[in-house]
Amino acid sequence: MAGPTGPGFHPHLPGFRHQFLAKALGASMWFFIFYRAREDGPKLLGLRHPWEGHGHGHDAHAEHKEHH
């Protein structure tokens, strides 16, 4: 069925709220991806072992065993 501008599909443009929501969700997705890449990137690429860098070393475990 032909429309006013010719045959084919003519979708309507999204409203301002939908455009804003799409940009906000897209930006939050990319911020989350870059945050996780910063946190887990070296482990994922094999540059660091997953068990390294937890903020507590083996010294804390040795002191705990001495107290028993």
Side-chain angles (χ1 to χ4, degrees):
M1 181 169 216
T5 58
F9 178 66
H10 302 285
H12 66 279
L13 297 176
F16 175 76
R17 286 188 291 179
H18 289 104
Q19 288 179 357
F20 180 80
L21 184 62
K23 287 180 184 177
L25 288 174
S28 63
M29 175 195 68
W30 282 111
F31 287 136
F32 179 75
I33 288 174
F34 289 136
Y35 172 75
R36 293 311 309 170
R38 186 182 70 183
E39 294 292 319
D40 295 337
K43 296 174 199 165
L44 187 64
L45 297 174
L47 301 175
R48 189 171 57 175
H49 295 291
W51 55 84
E52 293 176 350
H54 287 295
H56 58 278
H58 295 287
D59 295 335
H61 297 293
E63 291 175 10
H64 182 68
K65 289 181 183 178
E66 291 174 358
H67 292 294
H68 286 281

